[in-house]
Amino acid sequence: MDREVLRRLEKLNQLQLTEEQKDAFLAFYGKQTEEMEILNTVDTENVERMVHVMPIFTVVREDKVIKKYSREDLQKGAPETTEGYWQVPRLVE
Amino acid sequence: MELYISKNEKAKGKTVALDDMILTNEYPTTAGSKMLEGYMSLFNAEVVDRLKNAGYEIGGKANVGELCIDLLGETSYFGATENADGALMTASSELVKKGDALAAIGLDANGTPRRAAALNGQVCVKPTYGTVSRFGTISIACSGETVSVTANTVSAVKEILDVIAGHDDKDGTSLSEEKCALVKSSAEFSSAKKVAVARSITDSADEATKAVIAKAKAAFEAKGIAVEEVDDSVLLTAKNAWNILMSAELCNNVSRYDGVKYGYRTKNYTTIDELYTNSRTEAFGDLLKTAILFGSETLSTENYMKMYDKGLRIRRVLVEKFAEIFETYDAVLMPASTKTVYTKADTDANKYIAYDENLYTAPASITGLPVVVAGGVQLIGKAFSENVLFDLAKTLEGDGK
């Protein structure tokens, strides 16, 4: 991975690394990809992916309201609100 | 460093400490991160309600490493926890050790509670995936993480597991009540007759750790339980496969922390992109940033098949390998870490050390199998075999230190 790919990765994840952190990440990534070669020692071509370790698929419960929070409750932890809305910078000029 | 981030000063009697990954409506839940400093949940985690309904008191919220993915809590925004000997140790493990709490509830996303219990000579259970509700736990690696229980004795761990295990409609991965009942102490079981030692994983540890494994082996043999080494070389792949899956899931789970609806918001922004980026950049620590970026890259178009997809296929290979071992053996014995003591010098020298130490904890994380830690070692069993593992652990409890 080069610094340009890392720059795109940072942007995608809304993060900004310092130069020192970038060096550390690239070294970490290099080590992980090197070590990952061990995975290729196992032939998995005919092995099915296992997403769930337990046989549970698409669990849906009855669609009913079981608890209701007020707008005030839901906004208690908000960094900024205005007139009952979450406040963010202007998105459209 | 205070062990509790928030403490219930009135707690007396049967007190349980909660890792600060478990949501409570009485105390803030920080996940050890500046991002959630002071965050108050509107509701309790299901395990908290179950404990309170059963008459237990919540002792408070124990300091944890940021999002609980580190070695032993060293990445907490509120500071690392060290024990009296200057070794790194999780706050919840120390609270139990000191007798301030009967037990501690943690979230085993990356092996931290198991590692701590093994190093601190305690008993810990990471129950079969799906038998304890994860509703109200801060999500990190949903496909493998479980609520865990740590205490000083097997009986105390069993007592708490009996209370918190059970079906919960609010958790889409919760198993049926009938299945959950299999991990409770009332379920019938047959005592173990044969235990396998994971040879390659044990060989990766240092001499002091190997001696702990040898001691456990001798204790089992003295009880007439056969202990044999098995070829576990394929289990060595669990570390890298889990590093991929855990990081990929984490990267998605922490995308919700953006400084808009709750949590930390930077003061340094004019645009929405700056709000997101600067909030996350200022609030997240180094290890978490690394895990997010790594996880994101494993899901990229270029790497998806060779990393994430490969990890999911390796998971099945590992599940099948364990099933093969359990055709002959009742449990797999292995270390929980490379060394028997870690200090700040270790994590300063390698801040990604938890990714390396996953060699020991990832096999059970990625497969969802139950683990009981006792006497400084891990005992991994087939799904729902908690009672078999607890029975084995009684032979070892107190031997870790």
Side-chain angles (χ1 to χ4, degrees), chain A residues 13-14 16 21 31 35 39 42 44 47-51 56 80 87, chain B residues 239-240 265 269 277 280-281 286 296 304 309-310 312-313 315-316 356:
Chain A
N13 290 284
Q14 304 280 7
Q16 209 159 28
Q21 286 171 331
K31 181 169 181 270
E35 284 187 5
L39 304 185
V42 183
T44 54
V47 176
E48 201 183 327
R49 294 151 42 110
M50 186 177 236
V51 179
I56 300 175
E80 277 186 272
Q87 190 169 348
Chain B
K239 178 183 88 168
N240 294 99
R265 177 180 287 196
Y269 69 92
T277 303
R280 287 163 64 84
T281 299
D286 279 4
S296 175
Y304 181 86
D309 183 86
K310 184 77 182 181
L312 291 177
R313 291 170 198 261
R315 169 181 270 159
R316 185 174 298 279
D356 295 333

PDB file of all heavy atoms in Angstrom, chain A residues 13-14 16 21 31 35 39 42 44 47-51 56 80 87, chain B residues 239-240 265 269 277 280-281 286 296 304 309-310 312-313 315-316 356:
ATOM      1  N   ASN A  13     -12.911   6.818   5.463  1.00  0.00           N
ATOM      2  CA  ASN A  13     -13.268   6.545   6.857  1.00  0.00           C
ATOM      3  C   ASN A  13     -13.318   7.796   7.728  1.00  0.00           C
ATOM      4  O   ASN A  13     -13.403   7.692   8.943  1.00  0.00           O
ATOM      5  CB  ASN A  13     -12.286   5.533   7.451  1.00  0.00           C
ATOM      6  CG  ASN A  13     -12.478   4.156   6.862  1.00  0.00           C
ATOM      7  OD1 ASN A  13     -13.420   3.464   7.214  1.00  0.00           O
ATOM      8  ND2 ASN A  13     -11.632   3.766   5.923  1.00  0.00           N
ATOM      9  N   GLN A  14     -13.265   8.951   7.097  1.00  0.00           N
ATOM     10  CA  GLN A  14     -13.343  10.234   7.805  1.00  0.00           C
ATOM     11  C   GLN A  14     -12.315  10.288   8.936  1.00  0.00           C
ATOM     12  O   GLN A  14     -12.653  10.528  10.097  1.00  0.00           O
ATOM     13  CB  GLN A  14     -14.754  10.468   8.357  1.00  0.00           C
ATOM     14  CG  GLN A  14     -15.853  10.404   7.308  1.00  0.00           C
ATOM     15  CD  GLN A  14     -15.983  11.683   6.484  1.00  0.00           C
ATOM     16  OE1 GLN A  14     -15.174  12.587   6.598  1.00  0.00           O
ATOM     17  NE2 GLN A  14     -16.993  11.734   5.647  1.00  0.00           N
ATOM     18  N   GLN A  16      -7.964  11.363   9.734  1.00  0.00           N
ATOM     19  CA  GLN A  16      -6.770  12.021   9.209  1.00  0.00           C
ATOM     20  C   GLN A  16      -5.588  11.623  10.096  1.00  0.00           C
ATOM     21  O   GLN A  16      -5.585  11.933  11.292  1.00  0.00           O
ATOM     22  CB  GLN A  16      -6.958  13.529   9.256  1.00  0.00           C
ATOM     23  CG  GLN A  16      -6.198  14.266   8.203  1.00  0.00           C
ATOM     24  CD  GLN A  16      -6.787  15.658   7.961  1.00  0.00           C
ATOM     25  OE1 GLN A  16      -7.380  16.241   8.858  1.00  0.00           O
ATOM     26  NE2 GLN A  16      -6.607  16.179   6.776  1.00  0.00           N
ATOM     27  N   GLN A  21       1.746   8.558  12.270  1.00  0.00           N
ATOM     28  CA  GLN A  21       0.711   7.516  12.280  1.00  0.00           C
ATOM     29  C   GLN A  21       0.625   6.806  10.933  1.00  0.00           C
ATOM     30  O   GLN A  21       0.355   5.609  10.870  1.00  0.00           O
ATOM     31  CB  GLN A  21      -0.650   8.134  12.632  1.00  0.00           C
ATOM     32  CG  GLN A  21      -0.795   8.516  14.098  1.00  0.00           C
ATOM     33  CD  GLN A  21      -2.062   9.312  14.367  1.00  0.00           C
ATOM     34  OE1 GLN A  21      -2.571  10.034  13.504  1.00  0.00           O
ATOM     35  NE2 GLN A  21      -2.583   9.197  15.580  1.00  0.00           N
ATOM     36  N   LYS A  31       2.864  -5.868   7.675  1.00  0.00           N
ATOM     37  CA  LYS A  31       3.034  -7.070   8.512  1.00  0.00           C
ATOM     38  C   LYS A  31       1.790  -7.967   8.411  1.00  0.00           C
ATOM     39  O   LYS A  31       1.898  -9.188   8.287  1.00  0.00           O
ATOM     40  CB  LYS A  31       3.281  -6.644   9.967  1.00  0.00           C
ATOM     41  CG  LYS A  31       3.506  -7.794  10.917  1.00  0.00           C
ATOM     42  CD  LYS A  31       3.997  -7.291  12.275  1.00  0.00           C
ATOM     43  CE  LYS A  31       4.262  -8.410  13.253  1.00  0.00           C
ATOM     44  NZ  LYS A  31       3.125  -8.781  14.074  1.00  0.00           N
ATOM     45  N   GLU A  35       1.762 -11.743   6.959  1.00  0.00           N
ATOM     46  CA  GLU A  35       1.310 -12.865   7.799  1.00  0.00           C
ATOM     47  C   GLU A  35       0.113 -13.587   7.193  1.00  0.00           C
ATOM     48  O   GLU A  35      -0.081 -14.784   7.388  1.00  0.00           O
ATOM     49  CB  GLU A  35       0.906 -12.346   9.188  1.00  0.00           C
ATOM     50  CG  GLU A  35       2.061 -12.010  10.094  1.00  0.00           C
ATOM     51  CD  GLU A  35       1.578 -11.659  11.495  1.00  0.00           C
ATOM     52  OE1 GLU A  35       0.367 -11.765  11.762  1.00  0.00           O
ATOM     53  OE2 GLU A  35       2.418 -11.280  12.313  1.00  0.00           O
ATOM     54  N   LEU A  39      -2.988 -17.932   5.348  1.00  0.00           N
ATOM     55  CA  LEU A  39      -4.352 -18.304   4.957  1.00  0.00           C
ATOM     56  C   LEU A  39      -4.353 -19.048   3.623  1.00  0.00           C
ATOM     57  O   LEU A  39      -5.206 -19.898   3.367  1.00  0.00           O
ATOM     58  CB  LEU A  39      -5.255 -17.069   4.873  1.00  0.00           C
ATOM     59  CG  LEU A  39      -5.357 -16.192   6.125  1.00  0.00           C
ATOM     60  CD1 LEU A  39      -6.377 -15.083   5.897  1.00  0.00           C
ATOM     61  CD2 LEU A  39      -5.745 -17.010   7.349  1.00  0.00           C
ATOM     62  N   VAL A  42      -4.177 -22.934   3.166  1.00  0.00           N
ATOM     63  CA  VAL A  42      -5.394 -23.752   3.270  1.00  0.00           C
ATOM     64  C   VAL A  42      -6.216 -23.557   1.996  1.00  0.00           C
ATOM     65  O   VAL A  42      -6.566 -22.427   1.647  1.00  0.00           O
ATOM     66  CB  VAL A  42      -6.245 -23.314   4.497  1.00  0.00           C
ATOM     67  CG1 VAL A  42      -7.467 -24.214   4.648  1.00  0.00           C
ATOM     68  CG2 VAL A  42      -5.415 -23.314   5.765  1.00  0.00           C
ATOM     69  N   THR A  44      -9.314 -23.269   0.106  1.00  0.00           N
ATOM     70  CA  THR A  44     -10.715 -23.013   0.479  1.00  0.00           C
ATOM     71  C   THR A  44     -11.605 -22.854  -0.756  1.00  0.00           C
ATOM     72  O   THR A  44     -12.716 -22.358  -0.651  1.00  0.00           O
ATOM     73  CB  THR A  44     -10.818 -21.735   1.343  1.00  0.00           C
ATOM     74  OG1 THR A  44     -10.180 -20.658   0.639  1.00  0.00           O
ATOM     75  CG2 THR A  44     -10.184 -21.913   2.699  1.00  0.00           C
ATOM     76  N   VAL A  47     -14.764 -24.543  -0.221  1.00  0.00           N
ATOM     77  CA  VAL A  47     -15.316 -24.361   1.133  1.00  0.00           C
ATOM     78  C   VAL A  47     -16.316 -23.214   1.099  1.00  0.00           C
ATOM     79  O   VAL A  47     -16.035 -22.146   0.568  1.00  0.00           O
ATOM     80  CB  VAL A  47     -14.184 -24.019   2.144  1.00  0.00           C
ATOM     81  CG1 VAL A  47     -14.760 -23.743   3.532  1.00  0.00           C
ATOM     82  CG2 VAL A  47     -13.159 -25.139   2.197  1.00  0.00           C
ATOM     83  N   GLU A  48     -17.486 -23.467   1.662  1.00  0.00           N
ATOM     84  CA  GLU A  48     -18.519 -22.420   1.684  1.00  0.00           C
ATOM     85  C   GLU A  48     -18.195 -21.390   2.757  1.00  0.00           C
ATOM     86  O   GLU A  48     -17.710 -21.749   3.834  1.00  0.00           O
ATOM     87  CB  GLU A  48     -19.872 -23.085   1.990  1.00  0.00           C
ATOM     88  CG  GLU A  48     -21.060 -22.273   1.561  1.00  0.00           C
ATOM     89  CD  GLU A  48     -22.367 -22.954   1.970  1.00  0.00           C
ATOM     90  OE1 GLU A  48     -22.407 -24.206   1.990  1.00  0.00           O
ATOM     91  OE2 GLU A  48     -23.316 -22.226   2.292  1.00  0.00           O
ATOM     92  N   ARG A  49     -18.470 -20.140   2.463  1.00  0.00           N
ATOM     93  CA  ARG A  49     -18.261 -19.085   3.456  1.00  0.00           C
ATOM     94  C   ARG A  49     -19.128 -19.343   4.684  1.00  0.00           C
ATOM     95  O   ARG A  49     -20.221 -19.866   4.561  1.00  0.00           O
ATOM     96  CB  ARG A  49     -18.691 -17.727   2.884  1.00  0.00           C
ATOM     97  CG  ARG A  49     -17.887 -17.215   1.743  1.00  0.00           C
ATOM     98  CD  ARG A  49     -18.701 -16.321   0.819  1.00  0.00           C
ATOM     99  NE  ARG A  49     -19.571 -15.396   1.499  1.00  0.00           N
ATOM    100  CZ  ARG A  49     -19.398 -14.073   1.552  1.00  0.00           C
ATOM    101  NH1 ARG A  49     -18.375 -13.519   0.933  1.00  0.00           N
ATOM    102  NH2 ARG A  49     -20.233 -13.296   2.173  1.00  0.00           N
ATOM    103  N   MET A  50     -18.625 -18.976   5.851  1.00  0.00           N
ATOM    104  CA  MET A  50     -19.433 -19.130   7.067  1.00  0.00           C
ATOM    105  C   MET A  50     -19.601 -17.741   7.694  1.00  0.00           C
ATOM    106  O   MET A  50     -18.694 -17.220   8.326  1.00  0.00           O
ATOM    107  CB  MET A  50     -18.764 -20.079   8.047  1.00  0.00           C
ATOM    108  CG  MET A  50     -19.629 -20.392   9.249  1.00  0.00           C
ATOM    109  SD  MET A  50     -18.840 -21.590  10.344  1.00  0.00           S
ATOM    110  CE  MET A  50     -20.088 -22.846  10.415  1.00  0.00           C
ATOM    111  N   VAL A  51     -20.781 -17.162   7.480  1.00  0.00           N
ATOM    112  CA  VAL A  51     -21.047 -15.819   7.991  1.00  0.00           C
ATOM    113  C   VAL A  51     -21.505 -15.899   9.446  1.00  0.00           C
ATOM    114  O   VAL A  51     -21.063 -15.131  10.290  1.00  0.00           O
ATOM    115  CB  VAL A  51     -22.101 -15.109   7.117  1.00  0.00           C
ATOM    116  CG1 VAL A  51     -22.409 -13.727   7.659  1.00  0.00           C
ATOM    117  CG2 VAL A  51     -21.602 -15.005   5.677  1.00  0.00           C
ATOM    118  N   ILE A  56     -28.599 -19.304  12.565  1.00  0.00           N
ATOM    119  CA  ILE A  56     -29.659 -18.298  12.730  1.00  0.00           C
ATOM    120  C   ILE A  56     -29.640 -17.429  11.481  1.00  0.00           C
ATOM    121  O   ILE A  56     -28.604 -16.870  11.130  1.00  0.00           O
ATOM    122  CB  ILE A  56     -29.385 -17.388  13.946  1.00  0.00           C
ATOM    123  CG1 ILE A  56     -29.305 -18.202  15.215  1.00  0.00           C
ATOM    124  CG2 ILE A  56     -30.454 -16.317  14.073  1.00  0.00           C
ATOM    125  CD1 ILE A  56     -28.922 -17.378  16.421  1.00  0.00           C
ATOM    126  N   GLU A  80     -25.094  19.266  19.616  1.00  0.00           N
ATOM    127  CA  GLU A  80     -25.778  20.537  19.321  1.00  0.00           C
ATOM    128  C   GLU A  80     -27.163  20.253  18.761  1.00  0.00           C
ATOM    129  O   GLU A  80     -27.319  19.421  17.864  1.00  0.00           O
ATOM    130  CB  GLU A  80     -25.001  21.326  18.259  1.00  0.00           C
ATOM    131  CG  GLU A  80     -23.847  22.152  18.790  1.00  0.00           C
ATOM    132  CD  GLU A  80     -23.227  23.019  17.699  1.00  0.00           C
ATOM    133  OE1 GLU A  80     -22.323  22.508  17.010  1.00  0.00           O
ATOM    134  OE2 GLU A  80     -23.654  24.165  17.534  1.00  0.00           O
ATOM    135  N   GLN A  87     -28.267  19.640  15.045  1.00  0.00           N
ATOM    136  CA  GLN A  87     -27.703  20.740  14.261  1.00  0.00           C
ATOM    137  C   GLN A  87     -26.369  20.345  13.633  1.00  0.00           C
ATOM    138  O   GLN A  87     -25.475  19.828  14.308  1.00  0.00           O
ATOM    139  CB  GLN A  87     -27.500  21.964  15.146  1.00  0.00           C
ATOM    140  CG  GLN A  87     -27.151  23.196  14.331  1.00  0.00           C
ATOM    141  CD  GLN A  87     -27.214  24.468  15.153  1.00  0.00           C
ATOM    142  OE1 GLN A  87     -27.731  24.478  16.265  1.00  0.00           O
ATOM    143  NE2 GLN A  87     -26.684  25.544  14.608  1.00  0.00           N
TER     144      GLN A  87
ATOM    145  N   LYS B 239      -5.789 -16.590  13.827  1.00  0.00           N
ATOM    146  CA  LYS B 239      -5.366 -15.234  14.183  1.00  0.00           C
ATOM    147  C   LYS B 239      -5.589 -14.261  13.027  1.00  0.00           C
ATOM    148  O   LYS B 239      -6.266 -13.246  13.189  1.00  0.00           O
ATOM    149  CB  LYS B 239      -3.884 -15.230  14.585  1.00  0.00           C
ATOM    150  CG  LYS B 239      -3.369 -13.839  14.909  1.00  0.00           C
ATOM    151  CD  LYS B 239      -1.877 -13.822  15.248  1.00  0.00           C
ATOM    152  CE  LYS B 239      -1.031 -13.666  14.021  1.00  0.00           C
ATOM    153  NZ  LYS B 239       0.385 -13.368  14.343  1.00  0.00           N
ATOM    154  N   ASN B 240      -5.024 -14.566  11.884  1.00  0.00           N
ATOM    155  CA  ASN B 240      -5.120 -13.625  10.764  1.00  0.00           C
ATOM    156  C   ASN B 240      -6.532 -13.554  10.184  1.00  0.00           C
ATOM    157  O   ASN B 240      -6.977 -12.491   9.756  1.00  0.00           O
ATOM    158  CB  ASN B 240      -4.087 -13.965   9.689  1.00  0.00           C
ATOM    159  CG  ASN B 240      -2.688 -13.747  10.218  1.00  0.00           C
ATOM    160  OD1 ASN B 240      -2.023 -14.683  10.637  1.00  0.00           O
ATOM    161  ND2 ASN B 240      -2.246 -12.497  10.262  1.00  0.00           N
ATOM    162  N   ARG B 265     -17.937  16.039  19.643  1.00  0.00           N
ATOM    163  CA  ARG B 265     -17.935  16.857  18.417  1.00  0.00           C
ATOM    164  C   ARG B 265     -16.774  17.846  18.501  1.00  0.00           C
ATOM    165  O   ARG B 265     -16.634  18.573  19.491  1.00  0.00           O
ATOM    166  CB  ARG B 265     -19.248  17.604  18.257  1.00  0.00           C
ATOM    167  CG  ARG B 265     -19.247  18.508  17.027  1.00  0.00           C
ATOM    168  CD  ARG B 265     -20.532  19.273  16.830  1.00  0.00           C
ATOM    169  NE  ARG B 265     -21.609  18.420  16.369  1.00  0.00           N
ATOM    170  CZ  ARG B 265     -22.745  18.885  15.829  1.00  0.00           C
ATOM    171  NH1 ARG B 265     -22.927  20.188  15.696  1.00  0.00           N
ATOM    172  NH2 ARG B 265     -23.693  18.065  15.460  1.00  0.00           N
ATOM    173  N   TYR B 269     -14.457  23.040  12.905  1.00  0.00           N
ATOM    174  CA  TYR B 269     -15.096  22.677  11.637  1.00  0.00           C
ATOM    175  C   TYR B 269     -15.879  23.852  11.059  1.00  0.00           C
ATOM    176  O   TYR B 269     -16.336  24.731  11.792  1.00  0.00           O
ATOM    177  CB  TYR B 269     -16.058  21.494  11.827  1.00  0.00           C
ATOM    178  CG  TYR B 269     -17.287  21.824  12.643  1.00  0.00           C
ATOM    179  CD1 TYR B 269     -18.470  22.254  12.017  1.00  0.00           C
ATOM    180  CD2 TYR B 269     -17.278  21.730  14.028  1.00  0.00           C
ATOM    181  CE1 TYR B 269     -19.594  22.562  12.767  1.00  0.00           C
ATOM    182  CE2 TYR B 269     -18.403  22.047  14.774  1.00  0.00           C
ATOM    183  CZ  TYR B 269     -19.562  22.454  14.135  1.00  0.00           C
ATOM    184  OH  TYR B 269     -20.662  22.767  14.880  1.00  0.00           O
ATOM    185  N   THR B 277     -14.725  14.332  10.076  1.00  0.00           N
ATOM    186  CA  THR B 277     -13.315  13.930  10.087  1.00  0.00           C
ATOM    187  C   THR B 277     -12.593  14.417  11.342  1.00  0.00           C
ATOM    188  O   THR B 277     -11.874  13.644  11.984  1.00  0.00           O
ATOM    189  CB  THR B 277     -12.591  14.451   8.830  1.00  0.00           C
ATOM    190  OG1 THR B 277     -13.280  13.955   7.684  1.00  0.00           O
ATOM    191  CG2 THR B 277     -11.149  13.995   8.782  1.00  0.00           C
ATOM    192  N   ARG B 280     -13.821  12.520  14.565  1.00  0.00           N
ATOM    193  CA  ARG B 280     -13.289  11.153  14.671  1.00  0.00           C
ATOM    194  C   ARG B 280     -11.774  11.167  14.881  1.00  0.00           C
ATOM    195  O   ARG B 280     -11.237  10.381  15.676  1.00  0.00           O
ATOM    196  CB  ARG B 280     -13.652  10.359  13.402  1.00  0.00           C
ATOM    197  CG  ARG B 280     -15.127   9.997  13.350  1.00  0.00           C
ATOM    198  CD  ARG B 280     -15.579   9.594  11.958  1.00  0.00           C
ATOM    199  NE  ARG B 280     -14.951   8.384  11.448  1.00  0.00           N
ATOM    200  CZ  ARG B 280     -15.367   7.143  11.709  1.00  0.00           C
ATOM    201  NH1 ARG B 280     -16.411   6.948  12.495  1.00  0.00           N
ATOM    202  NH2 ARG B 280     -14.759   6.100  11.186  1.00  0.00           N
ATOM    203  N   THR B 281     -11.098  12.043  14.188  1.00  0.00           N
ATOM    204  CA  THR B 281      -9.640  12.107  14.301  1.00  0.00           C
ATOM    205  C   THR B 281      -9.213  12.540  15.702  1.00  0.00           C
ATOM    206  O   THR B 281      -8.270  11.976  16.273  1.00  0.00           O
ATOM    207  CB  THR B 281      -9.071  13.084  13.248  1.00  0.00           C
ATOM    208  OG1 THR B 281      -9.417  12.581  11.959  1.00  0.00           O
ATOM    209  CG2 THR B 281      -7.563  13.207  13.352  1.00  0.00           C
ATOM    210  N   ASP B 286      -4.894   5.722  18.521  1.00  0.00           N
ATOM    211  CA  ASP B 286      -4.091   5.128  17.443  1.00  0.00           C
ATOM    212  C   ASP B 286      -4.531   3.718  17.052  1.00  0.00           C
ATOM    213  O   ASP B 286      -4.672   3.404  15.873  1.00  0.00           O
ATOM    214  CB  ASP B 286      -2.619   5.052  17.879  1.00  0.00           C
ATOM    215  CG  ASP B 286      -1.918   6.380  17.690  1.00  0.00           C
ATOM    216  OD1 ASP B 286      -2.592   7.355  17.300  1.00  0.00           O
ATOM    217  OD2 ASP B 286      -0.694   6.451  17.942  1.00  0.00           O
ATOM    218  N   SER B 296     -11.382  -1.546   6.840  1.00  0.00           N
ATOM    219  CA  SER B 296     -11.948  -0.961   5.630  1.00  0.00           C
ATOM    220  C   SER B 296     -11.230  -1.490   4.387  1.00  0.00           C
ATOM    221  O   SER B 296     -11.866  -1.818   3.374  1.00  0.00           O
ATOM    222  CB  SER B 296     -11.806   0.565   5.726  1.00  0.00           C
ATOM    223  OG  SER B 296     -12.226   1.188   4.563  1.00  0.00           O
ATOM    224  N   TYR B 304     -11.313  -7.726  -1.168  1.00  0.00           N
ATOM    225  CA  TYR B 304     -12.446  -8.426  -0.555  1.00  0.00           C
ATOM    226  C   TYR B 304     -12.305  -9.952  -0.641  1.00  0.00           C
ATOM    227  O   TYR B 304     -12.417 -10.647   0.360  1.00  0.00           O
ATOM    228  CB  TYR B 304     -13.758  -7.978  -1.209  1.00  0.00           C
ATOM    229  CG  TYR B 304     -14.973  -8.637  -0.618  1.00  0.00           C
ATOM    230  CD1 TYR B 304     -15.594  -8.115   0.518  1.00  0.00           C
ATOM    231  CD2 TYR B 304     -15.494  -9.804  -1.171  1.00  0.00           C
ATOM    232  CE1 TYR B 304     -16.698  -8.738   1.071  1.00  0.00           C
ATOM    233  CE2 TYR B 304     -16.596 -10.434  -0.624  1.00  0.00           C
ATOM    234  CZ  TYR B 304     -17.198  -9.894   0.499  1.00  0.00           C
ATOM    235  OH  TYR B 304     -18.292 -10.516   1.057  1.00  0.00           O
ATOM    236  N   ASP B 309     -13.465 -12.444   2.277  1.00  0.00           N
ATOM    237  CA  ASP B 309     -14.079 -13.694   1.839  1.00  0.00           C
ATOM    238  C   ASP B 309     -13.256 -14.894   2.309  1.00  0.00           C
ATOM    239  O   ASP B 309     -13.792 -15.898   2.770  1.00  0.00           O
ATOM    240  CB  ASP B 309     -14.214 -13.686   0.309  1.00  0.00           C
ATOM    241  CG  ASP B 309     -14.902 -14.924  -0.220  1.00  0.00           C
ATOM    242  OD1 ASP B 309     -16.150 -14.927  -0.265  1.00  0.00           O
ATOM    243  OD2 ASP B 309     -14.203 -15.894  -0.566  1.00  0.00           O
ATOM    244  N   LYS B 310     -11.938 -14.759   2.201  1.00  0.00           N
ATOM    245  CA  LYS B 310     -11.043 -15.845   2.639  1.00  0.00           C
ATOM    246  C   LYS B 310     -11.233 -16.100   4.137  1.00  0.00           C
ATOM    247  O   LYS B 310     -11.265 -17.248   4.587  1.00  0.00           O
ATOM    248  CB  LYS B 310      -9.589 -15.455   2.334  1.00  0.00           C
ATOM    249  CG  LYS B 310      -8.577 -16.532   2.643  1.00  0.00           C
ATOM    250  CD  LYS B 310      -8.543 -17.620   1.593  1.00  0.00           C
ATOM    251  CE  LYS B 310      -7.557 -18.715   1.937  1.00  0.00           C
ATOM    252  NZ  LYS B 310      -7.478 -19.766   0.935  1.00  0.00           N
ATOM    253  N   LEU B 312     -13.890 -15.684   5.919  1.00  0.00           N
ATOM    254  CA  LEU B 312     -15.154 -16.397   6.162  1.00  0.00           C
ATOM    255  C   LEU B 312     -15.036 -17.880   5.818  1.00  0.00           C
ATOM    256  O   LEU B 312     -15.644 -18.735   6.472  1.00  0.00           O
ATOM    257  CB  LEU B 312     -16.278 -15.764   5.338  1.00  0.00           C
ATOM    258  CG  LEU B 312     -16.722 -14.358   5.750  1.00  0.00           C
ATOM    259  CD1 LEU B 312     -17.796 -13.843   4.801  1.00  0.00           C
ATOM    260  CD2 LEU B 312     -17.250 -14.327   7.183  1.00  0.00           C
ATOM    261  N   ARG B 313     -14.258 -18.181   4.790  1.00  0.00           N
ATOM    262  CA  ARG B 313     -14.062 -19.599   4.423  1.00  0.00           C
ATOM    263  C   ARG B 313     -13.169 -20.302   5.457  1.00  0.00           C
ATOM    264  O   ARG B 313     -13.413 -21.463   5.818  1.00  0.00           O
ATOM    265  CB  ARG B 313     -13.439 -19.711   3.027  1.00  0.00           C
ATOM    266  CG  ARG B 313     -14.402 -19.288   1.925  1.00  0.00           C
ATOM    267  CD  ARG B 313     -13.678 -19.181   0.592  1.00  0.00           C
ATOM    268  NE  ARG B 313     -14.454 -18.401  -0.340  1.00  0.00           N
ATOM    269  CZ  ARG B 313     -15.237 -18.938  -1.286  1.00  0.00           C
ATOM    270  NH1 ARG B 313     -15.330 -20.230  -1.402  1.00  0.00           N
ATOM    271  NH2 ARG B 313     -15.923 -18.156  -2.089  1.00  0.00           N
ATOM    272  N   ARG B 315     -13.061 -19.564   8.500  1.00  0.00           N
ATOM    273  CA  ARG B 315     -13.903 -19.811   9.685  1.00  0.00           C
ATOM    274  C   ARG B 315     -14.542 -21.194   9.606  1.00  0.00           C
ATOM    275  O   ARG B 315     -14.535 -21.944  10.581  1.00  0.00           O
ATOM    276  CB  ARG B 315     -14.984 -18.734   9.780  1.00  0.00           C
ATOM    277  CG  ARG B 315     -16.048 -19.057  10.805  1.00  0.00           C
ATOM    278  CD  ARG B 315     -17.128 -17.996  10.871  1.00  0.00           C
ATOM    279  NE  ARG B 315     -16.793 -16.965  11.840  1.00  0.00           N
ATOM    280  CZ  ARG B 315     -17.313 -15.750  11.849  1.00  0.00           C
ATOM    281  NH1 ARG B 315     -18.189 -15.406  10.942  1.00  0.00           N
ATOM    282  NH2 ARG B 315     -16.987 -14.882  12.766  1.00  0.00           N
ATOM    283  N   ARG B 316     -15.060 -21.565   8.438  1.00  0.00           N
ATOM    284  CA  ARG B 316     -15.687 -22.890   8.316  1.00  0.00           C
ATOM    285  C   ARG B 316     -14.646 -23.996   8.492  1.00  0.00           C
ATOM    286  O   ARG B 316     -14.905 -25.012   9.145  1.00  0.00           O
ATOM    287  CB  ARG B 316     -16.395 -23.038   6.967  1.00  0.00           C
ATOM    288  CG  ARG B 316     -17.153 -24.359   6.850  1.00  0.00           C
ATOM    289  CD  ARG B 316     -17.962 -24.453   5.579  1.00  0.00           C
ATOM    290  NE  ARG B 316     -18.992 -23.431   5.473  1.00  0.00           N
ATOM    291  CZ  ARG B 316     -20.188 -23.486   6.070  1.00  0.00           C
ATOM    292  NH1 ARG B 316     -20.490 -24.529   6.811  1.00  0.00           N
ATOM    293  NH2 ARG B 316     -21.059 -22.511   5.921  1.00  0.00           N
ATOM    294  N   ASP B 356      -1.288  -9.575  17.585  1.00  0.00           N
ATOM    295  CA  ASP B 356      -0.406 -10.745  17.641  1.00  0.00           C
ATOM    296  C   ASP B 356      -0.933 -11.777  18.642  1.00  0.00           C
ATOM    297  O   ASP B 356      -0.896 -12.973  18.396  1.00  0.00           O
ATOM    298  CB  ASP B 356       1.013 -10.318  18.047  1.00  0.00           C
ATOM    299  CG  ASP B 356       1.665  -9.415  17.006  1.00  0.00           C
ATOM    300  OD1 ASP B 356       1.297  -9.534  15.821  1.00  0.00           O
ATOM    301  OD2 ASP B 356       2.515  -8.583  17.370  1.00  0.00           O
TER     302      ASP B 356
END
